[in-house]
């Protein structure tokens, strides 16, 4: 083939074939090839070899390499020479270096593979703060909880670790934990979730610490570990020097005082002094060793916490003098949009230790805080607050039943339903329904009902209630469950009941309760729910389906799949509208499904 032959018609033909091969879902890449094709058609110069394609607008290395491969295949099929690049004549003896393309660095399409950059978090970002916090906390083998990490990480980050829906900030700095897990810098395990930093994560965290000149507290776990490692290293070095010295001394090759440091000479004197007692003599094979400060005594004695295991589950015992009591208020529980911190500020003004938190369940919960470790556990007192108008709406849309069901699953012994009967609220003729619901909540659910006139009356009652709870726990020891892996909320409830049966006997001062981390993780609205529970919740989203009715439907159709299959087998729409009504016609009154509700279920789950 003549090297001056214009290859443009061939390249245009092949580009057209490539463009025609793209399907409707490949619009983006098709548009790239279309622009390259149009540019090549109007290109005025000769194209005698593939490298000239890079001069055409819209053609890059990827398209050029693909056309080059087509040209080589075309030349092989016709048994003609491949067009070589003609180098311009040179009058000098300067050597021309031609860079060869490393085939191993190409992907299947012939383009150069991009090198994957090593992930490094931005300074004072969420990932940056999490890595430094886990490094400072020493990354124990059992892992760290979310609460433990963000307590330390907050000072290393410019963003908040708590979402704030009121300002439409639904994501927080904690979302960066997913990036660290994806890059294998942090491992996630167990339920409640615990996080472990990997060796790569430790290396990156130490690099960030040194690069940004971050200083950890002197008494933090990371610094104590470093001191202990240095101490052991120094002892090993001294021991090695002594062994070498005594070996040389036995053959008379060197005198003892010639090579020893001051610290080593003091130990060597104990070896060579003849008038020491035998019990004070230290041999080279077993030098005296001082234990690090953190290993002098068991940890349970250091912070006043007894740690043990029973039936495969870890737990801690807190003595009454080792904890104090405070009130956590859900930060979404507000007086008004303009006064979001009313409850926390009002309670603090009355000398009630309170904090705004994002609670997984309930509006207010009393917790105990360990004075030494700073960890929290949830006491057996939980409160759900409702204004009268909100209560009437929750009864209408079935949220009231669903909330009571979830509150019952906490296992808390004392659950309060506080109703604010503020005057002037519209309840839409729901007086009888409200009275019936409150009565059933007291009798059947064993909840405590408290009625207040307004928010000020609510704060006064919370203050007196907190004082009563403090007196109740004045002489009680807390047994705090610390499970590492829980399968479901039901399993956790059974675990709590087993502990109570074992430890809360007559005359016992012990009271079993959740750790705050377990309460948040296990008892969330959707976390740790079984398929059955999610199915019942889906049924209860239909207006008019109470918990009793949902359980009746579930007993007839055990899974959502079977429920949908039953609808699909209906021969007519009329049969589908009455299917549930007919199937549950013999159920007792509270579990019966009327024709209207049966039609609503058909419209929701069965109608196509």
């Amino acid at each position: 083939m003549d090297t001056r032959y214009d290859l443009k018609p061939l390249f245009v033909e092949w580009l057209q074939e490539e463009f025609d091969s793209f399907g409707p879902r490949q619009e983006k890449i098709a548009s790239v090839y279309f622009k390259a094709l149009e540019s090549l058609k109007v290109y005025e110069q000769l194209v005698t070899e593939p490298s000239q394609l890079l001069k055409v607008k819209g053609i890059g290395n990827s398209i050029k390499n693909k056309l080059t491969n087509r040209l080589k295949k075309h030349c092989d099929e016709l048994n003609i020479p491949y067009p070589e690049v003609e180098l311009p004549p040179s009058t000098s003896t300067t050597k021309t270096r031609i860079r060869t393309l490393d085939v191993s660095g190409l992907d299947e399409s012939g383009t150069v593979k991009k090198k994957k950059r090593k992930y490094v978090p931005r300074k004072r970002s969420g990932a940056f703060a999490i890595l430094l916090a886990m490094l400072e906390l020493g990354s124990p083998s059992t892992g760290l909880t979310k609460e433990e990490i963000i307590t330390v990480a907050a000072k290393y980050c410019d963003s908040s670790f708590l979402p704030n829906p009121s300002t439409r900030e639904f994501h927080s700095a904690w979302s960066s934990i997913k990036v660290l897990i994806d890059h294998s810098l942090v491992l996630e395990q167990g339920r409640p979730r615990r996080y472990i930093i990997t060796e790569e994560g430790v290396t990156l965290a130490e690099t960030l610490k040194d690069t940004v000149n971050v200083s950890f507290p002197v008494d933090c776990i990371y610094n104590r570990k470093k001191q202990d490692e240095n101490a052991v290293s120094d002892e090993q070095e001294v021991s090695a020097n002594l062994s070498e010295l005594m070996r040389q001394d036995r053959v008379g090759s060197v005198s003892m005082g010639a090579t020893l440091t001051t610290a080593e000479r003091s130990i060597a004197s104990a070896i060579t002094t003849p008038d020491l007692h035998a019990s004070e003599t230290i041999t080279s094979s077993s030098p005296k060793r001082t234990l690090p400060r953190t290993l002098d005594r068991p940890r349970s004695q250091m912070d006043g916490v007894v740690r043990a295991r029973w039936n495969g589950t870890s737990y801690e015992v807190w003595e009454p003098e080792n904890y104090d009591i405070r009130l956590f208020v859900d930060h979404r529980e507000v007086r008004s949009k303009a006064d979001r911190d009313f409850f926390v500020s009002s309670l603090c003004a009355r000398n009630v230790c309170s904090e705004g938190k994002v609670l997984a369940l309930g509006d207010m919960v009393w917790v105990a805080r360990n004075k030494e470790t700073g960890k929290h556990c949830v006491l057996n007192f939980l409160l759900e607050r409702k204004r009268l108008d909100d209560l009437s709406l929750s009864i209408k849309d079935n949220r009231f039943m669903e909330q009571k069901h979830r509150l019952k699953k906490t296992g808390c012994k004392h659950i309060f339903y506080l109703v604010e009967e503020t005057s002037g609220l519209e309840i839409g003729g729901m007086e009888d329904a409200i009275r019936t619901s409150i009565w059933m909540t007291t009798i059947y659910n064993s909840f405590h009902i408290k009625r207040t006139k307004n928010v000020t009356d609510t704060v006064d009652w919370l203050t007196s209630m907190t004082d009563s709870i403090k007196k109740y726990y004045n002489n009680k020891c807390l047994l705090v469950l610390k499970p590492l892996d829980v399968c479901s909320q039901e399993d956790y409830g059974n675990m709590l009941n087993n502990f109570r049966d074992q430890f809360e006997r007559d005359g016992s001062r012990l009271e079993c309760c959740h750790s705050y981390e377990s309460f948040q993780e296990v008892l969330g609205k959707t976390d740790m729910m079984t398929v059955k529970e999610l199915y019942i919740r889906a049924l209860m989203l239909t207006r008019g389906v109470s918990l009793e009715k949902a359980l009746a439907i579930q007993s007839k159709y055990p899974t959502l799949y079977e429920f949908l299959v039953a609808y699909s087998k209906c021969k007519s729409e009329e049969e589908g509208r009455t299917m549930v009504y007919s199937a549950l016609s013999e159920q007792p009154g509270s579990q019966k499904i009327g024709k209207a509700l049966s039609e609503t279920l058909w419209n929701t789950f069965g109608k196509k």
Side-chain angles (χ1 to χ4, degrees):
M1 177 183 282
D2 188 355
T3 56
R4 291 173 296 177
Y5 179 73
D6 188 8
L7 300 173
K8 187 171 73 172
L10 279 177
F11 289 148
V12 169
E13 179 185 349
W14 293 336
L15 267 181
Q16 185 68 50
E17 291 177 2
E18 290 289 338
F19 174 72
D20 295 337
S21 66
F22 294 119
R25 295 186 179 182
Q26 296 173 298
E27 295 180 359
K28 196 169 183 180
I29 190 171
S31 65
V32 174
Y33 274 78
F34 177 75
K35 292 177 182 178
L37 178 61
E38 294 300 313
S39 298
L40 184 59
K41 286 179 180 178
V42 298
Y43 188 66
E44 296 180 353
Q45 300 181 15
L46 291 177
V47 180
T48 58
E49 49 91 14
S51 63
Q52 290 179 298
L53 290 170
L54 295 176
K55 298 179 182 179
V56 181
K57 185 177 179 181
I59 295 182
N61 283 319
S62 177
I63 297 178
K64 187 263 292 184
N65 291 333
K66 186 166 289 190
L67 293 176
T68 300
N69 294 333
R70 287 290 299 269
L71 181 60
K72 289 179 179 178
K73 185 178 180 181
H74 178 74
C75 292
D76 292 340
E77 290 174 352
L78 298 180
N79 196 20
I80 56 179
Y82 180 78
E84 302 292 341
V85 180
E86 291 186 359
L87 297 177
S90 176
T91 57
S92 64
T93 59
T94 304
K95 293 182 179 180
T96 303
R97 292 196 308 170
I98 301 177
R99 185 176 62 182
T100 58
L101 189 64
D102 185 7
V103 180
S104 62
L106 299 179
D107 58 15
E108 295 179 355
S109 63
T111 57
V112 180
K113 297 178 182 177
K114 291 184 178 180
K115 291 184 179 180
K116 190 176 182 180
R117 292 181 58 186
K118 186 176 181 180
Y119 172 72
V120 179
R122 180 172 50 84
K123 180 181 177 182
R124 296 195 65 80
S125 63
F128 173 89
I130 291 171
L131 285 176
L132 288 182
M134 297 185 76
L135 183 68
E136 180 180 330
L137 292 170
S139 59
S141 58
T142 55
L144 297 164
T145 64
K146 174 183 176 181
E147 291 291 327
E148 291 172 336
I149 295 173
I150 64 177
T151 300
V152 177
K155 60 187 177 185
Y156 300 123
C157 186
D158 293 331
S159 303
S160 173
F161 276 91
L162 296 175
N164 188 2
S166 61
T167 58
R168 304 191 68 80
E169 295 174 345
F170 299 102
H171 297 281
S172 65
W174 179 252
S175 302
S176 302
I177 192 70
K178 297 177 182 177
V179 180
L180 297 176
I181 294 173
D182 291 341
H183 286 86
S184 300
L185 299 172
V186 173
L187 300 178
E188 180 187 67
Q189 66 176 18
R191 298 297 290 267
R193 294 184 183 92
R194 302 185 75 87
Y195 301 91
I196 300 175
I197 189 170
T198 63
E199 292 183 5
E200 294 82 359
V202 171
T203 303
L204 178 57
E206 289 180 335
T207 303
L208 294 173
K209 176 181 178 295
D210 297 336
T211 304
V212 189
N213 295 323
V214 175
S215 298
F216 289 164
V218 179
D219 59 343
C220 74
I221 299 176
Y222 174 78
N223 285 336
R224 292 208 300 266
K225 282 186 175 181
K226 285 292 183 182
Q227 292 172 3
D228 295 342
E229 290 174 1
N230 293 336
V232 172
S233 177
D234 291 342
E235 290 177 7
Q236 292 174 347
E237 183 179 355
V238 170
S239 178
N241 288 339
L242 286 173
S243 299
E244 177 64 19
L245 180 62
M246 294 187 70
R247 185 188 65 80
Q248 295 176 358
D249 188 56
R250 283 195 297 269
V251 297
S253 61
V254 67
S255 63
M256 180 176 292
T259 59
L260 295 182
T261 64
T262 304
E264 292 166 343
R265 277 198 292 269
S266 63
I267 299 177
S269 63
I271 302 174
T272 58
T273 304
D275 56 348
L276 287 178
H277 298 289
S279 60
E280 297 174 347
T281 302
I282 306 174
T283 63
S284 61
S285 60
S286 58
K288 186 177 180 180
R289 180 176 174 184
T290 303
L291 288 174
R293 182 172 60 86
T294 55
L295 300 177
D296 285 343
R297 47 185 176 166
R299 188 180 173 192
S300 59
Q301 297 178 15
M302 291 177 59
D303 52 22
V305 176
V306 177
R307 294 174 175 83
R309 290 174 66 86
W310 179 76
N311 205 18
T313 302
S314 301
Y315 66 88
E316 298 178 355
V317 178
W318 299 359
E319 295 293 333
E321 63 274 8
N322 292 337
Y323 66 85
D324 54 24
I325 292 175
R326 52 191 59 206
L327 177 61
F328 281 178
V329 181
D330 193 292
H331 80 118
R332 294 161 291 190
E333 195 66 14
V334 299
R335 179 184 184 182
S336 64
K337 292 183 179 179
D339 193 3
R340 307 194 66 86
D341 298 326
F342 171 79
F343 284 102
V344 173
S345 58
S346 299
L347 289 166
C348 290
R350 289 169 170 78
N351 296 323
V352 177
C353 292
S354 59
E355 298 179 34
K357 295 283 186 177
V358 181
L359 298 180
L361 188 60
D363 294 323
M364 299 179 192
V365 62
W366 282 267
V367 302
R369 183 186 68 90
N370 191 287
K371 297 177 181 178
E372 294 292 335
T373 63
K375 295 181 179 179
H376 296 88
C377 72
V378 176
L379 301 176
N380 282 300
F381 290 85
L382 181 65
L383 181 140
E384 181 77 19
R385 169 182 168 262
K386 289 287 184 187
R387 289 195 322 174
L388 204 57
D389 55 345
D390 186 27
L391 177 59
S392 64
L393 290 175
S394 65
I395 293 173
K396 286 181 181 179
D397 60 17
N398 249 359
R399 283 186 296 119
F400 182 65
M401 296 293 294
E402 189 264 344
Q403 285 173 345
K404 288 195 299 181
H405 178 63
R406 289 175 50 228
L407 289 170
K408 198 69 177 176
K409 288 167 63 177
T410 62
C412 285
K413 298 178 181 178
H414 309 285
I415 301 175
F416 292 85
Y417 225 98
L418 187 143
V419 182
E420 285 182 4
E421 301 176 356
T422 306
S423 59
L425 296 177
E426 292 292 334
I427 57 176
M430 293 284 294
E431 293 86 353
D432 292 339
I434 291 173
R435 277 194 291 267
T436 302
S437 298
I438 291 176
W439 177 78
M440 292 181 65
T441 301
T442 306
I443 301 300
Y444 290 104
N445 302 114
S446 300
F447 289 2
H448 304 284
I449 302 297
K450 176 61 183 177
R451 295 168 132 176
T452 59
K453 297 177 181 179
N454 47 45
V455 288
T456 304
D457 193 18
T458 298
V459 172
D460 292 338
W461 181 82
L462 289 172
T463 303
S464 62
M465 188 65 197
T466 303
D467 293 336
S468 300
I469 292 174
K470 287 181 179 179
K471 293 177 183 177
Y472 176 81
Y473 285 100
N474 188 43
N475 197 33
K476 280 194 175 292
C477 296
L478 300 179
L479 190 151
V480 185
L481 275 68
K482 308 280 287 186
L484 292 179
D485 198 4
V486 182
C487 298
S488 66
Q489 294 175 342
E490 185 178 357
D491 289 345
Y492 190 77
N494 294 334
M495 183 190 305
L496 181 62
N497 291 330
N498 290 337
F499 265 83
R500 284 174 174 168
D501 293 339
Q502 177 68 21
F503 294 98
E504 292 186 9
R505 298 173 181 175
D506 293 339
S508 173
R509 295 170 54 225
L510 282 174
E511 182 164 306
C512 302
C513 52
H514 306 285
S515 68
Y516 180 69
E517 292 81 8
S518 299
F519 178 85
Q520 291 288 91
E521 182 75 22
V522 179
L523 298 173
K525 287 188 176 181
T526 56
D527 285 355
M528 307 293 289
M529 283 190 174
T530 62
V531 175
K532 174 183 175 181
E533 291 169 331
L534 289 173
Y535 173 34
I536 291 174
R537 285 200 69 194
L539 291 171
M540 291 177 65
L541 290 174
T542 304
R543 186 172 181 178
V545 179
S546 64
L547 177 61
E548 291 82 1
K549 289 180 170 60
L551 290 171
I553 296 172
Q554 191 271 333
S555 64
K556 184 67 177 179
Y557 310 100
T559 65
L560 179 60
Y561 174 77
E562 293 181 48
F563 190 42
L564 298 177
V565 168
Y567 271 128
S568 66
K569 291 181 179 179
C570 293
K571 298 179 180 179
S572 64
E573 183 172 335
E574 182 60 31
E575 183 182 350
R577 292 177 184 275
T578 59
M579 184 189 78
V580 180
Y581 168 75
S582 302
L584 302 179
S585 58
E586 297 182 359
Q587 293 291 331
S590 61
Q591 297 182 0
K592 273 189 176 181
I593 304 292
K595 291 184 178 180
L597 183 54
S598 179
E599 185 175 346
T600 302
L601 289 168
W602 160 258
N603 292 331
T604 304
F605 295 97
K607 191 174 181 180
K608 297 180 181 179

